Amino acid sequence: MDLLLTILIDGAIYASWLFIVALGLTLIFGVLKILNIAHGSFYAIGAYAAASIVGLFTAQQYAPAFSLVALLLAAVAVAVVVGPLLERLLLRRFYGRDEVLLVLVTYALFLILEDVSKLIWGVNPYYVTEPYGLFGDVSLGSLFYVGYDLAIVAVALICGIGVWFGLNRTVLGKIVLAVIHNDEIAASMGINISRVYLGAFTFGVFLAALGGAFTAPMISVQPGISVGVIIVSFAVVIIGGLGSIGGAAIGALIVGLARSTAVHIWPAAELFSIYLVMAAVLIFRPEGLFQRVVARRI
């Protein structure tokens, strides 16, 4: 019984931060139709920025609770600086071009951002310890967990519900959905497609950076973390269905439980279990579990 509970909780914790990152990835694809290979780099930059800002807050001897504010500020700063810059100066030039070209462009961007991160923060690991002890330990039956790990689950729920509510219950969300459904008709109705693209990409960067910022206290922030994140994030959106928010949530949960089960039962198959689940879904549902609605063209 304890083993089952451990698998479920560990899977939920892993799925939570992964869902935040995958949510940004699937949003960018849904609106801009771009498979963004560089999304993992936004995650890594968010983690590095969080380490730097938390270190600054600590040096100024702010209360430890302000370290959580520092994590959020790091994600916002990355989104505000990186999102508009890349969308305006680079990606906008390739809209409407072949999908393979867009993948190559974002892959090149990924390589560039990896080197830029090394130039700014170096190659030595960073550790963000202050936020991790804020919530103490939590007892779940005979198991004990760090409260911060469980708080990440709450952050993921807030992000998921917030994005869903924003898209389905606000005027701005309806505009974004119109662009997702058919950008040509949306443009003919007077919607500023360029502005929607900019906002969606910037918010997608924010979600990736947010995932990195709030994961930073749980890991060693060092070069290479972006590679593993983007691979697993793609597994999530492929399982759930590209462009589907609900699919991203289910996909993250499936990946989290698969990984957790492998870690506790057969550790050598940790990564293999994720790819096995992805392959099984693609065999029976090539479009993913939740296929995005596509406008019928006459």
Side-chain angles (χ1 to χ4, degrees):
M1 187 61 185
D2 284 350
L3 177 60
L4 178 60
L5 184 60
T6 301
I7 289 174
L8 292 175
I9 296 175
D10 287 352
I13 292 172
Y14 186 83
S16 59
W17 68 263
L18 186 56
F19 167 67
I20 298 173
V21 179
L23 184 60
L25 183 63
T26 200
L27 180 65
I28 290 175
F29 177 81
V31 178
L32 282 73
K33 314 299 187 296
I34 293 177
L35 284 173
N36 185 20
I37 305 296
H39 202 69
S41 296
F42 304 148
Y43 167 92
I45 294 173
Y48 274 115
S52 299
I53 296 180
V54 169
L56 181 62
F57 273 48
T58 302
Q60 297 296 324
Q61 297 183 343
Y62 286 101
F66 279 98
S67 60
L68 293 176
V69 178
L71 298 180
L72 181 60
L73 289 177
V76 172
V78 171
V80 170
V81 174
V82 175
L85 181 66
L86 294 180
E87 198 278 337
R88 292 284 185 180
L89 298 182
L90 179 64
L91 295 179
R92 178 164 297 189
R93 303 174 184 272
F94 296 94
Y95 292 154
R97 307 284 288 275
D98 187 82
E99 291 84 355
V100 175
L101 177 61
L102 285 167
V103 170
L104 292 176
V105 168
T106 58
Y107 178 65
L109 180 60
F110 163 76
L111 296 177
I112 293 171
L113 291 177
E114 282 292 288
D115 286 340
V116 169
S117 298
K118 292 177 184 178
L119 289 174
I120 296 175
W121 287 284
V123 296
N124 294 322
Y126 283 72
Y127 299 95
V128 189
T129 58
E130 288 77 9
Y132 201 60
L134 289 177
F135 299 94
D137 296 330
V138 177
S139 173
L140 297 174
S142 60
L143 304 176
F144 289 89
Y145 281 86
V146 177
Y148 184 88
D149 293 345
L150 300 178
I152 297 297
V153 178
V155 173
L157 289 173
I158 292 172
C159 289
I161 294 172
V163 172
W164 179 88
F165 183 86
L167 287 176
N168 295 278
R169 294 292 185 270
T170 66
V171 175
L172 181 60
K174 297 296 184 181
I175 293 174
V176 174
L177 288 177
V179 174
I180 292 175
H181 193 65
N182 193 310
D183 54 356
E184 294 179 1
I185 293 179
S188 69
M189 296 176 64
I191 294 175
N192 190 328
I193 303 297
S194 175
R195 188 174 298 174
V196 173
Y197 282 175
L198 174 61
F201 184 77
T202 301
F203 191 71
V205 173
F206 167 73
L207 289 172
L210 186 70
F214 276 88
T215 309
M218 305 164 62
I219 62 173
S220 169
V221 183
Q222 58 188 342
I225 60 174
S226 58
V227 178
V229 168
I230 191 59
I231 292 175
V232 182
S233 297
F234 267 115
V236 168
V237 297
I238 288 172
I239 291 172
L242 286 166
S244 171
I245 294 176
I250 299 300
L253 192 58
I254 291 174
V255 168
L257 291 175
R259 175 189 175 275
S260 178
T261 302
V263 165
H264 289 284
I265 297 178
W266 188 16
E270 175 186 348
L271 286 177
F272 171 76
S273 62
I274 296 174
Y275 301 137
L276 178 63
V277 171
M278 182 175 67
V281 170
L282 289 176
I283 289 173
F284 297 102
R285 297 277 296 183
E287 298 292 337
L289 296 177
F290 296 85
Q291 182 178 358
R292 185 169 60 92
V293 176
V294 178
R296 182 172 64 89
R297 298 183 182 272
I298 300 176

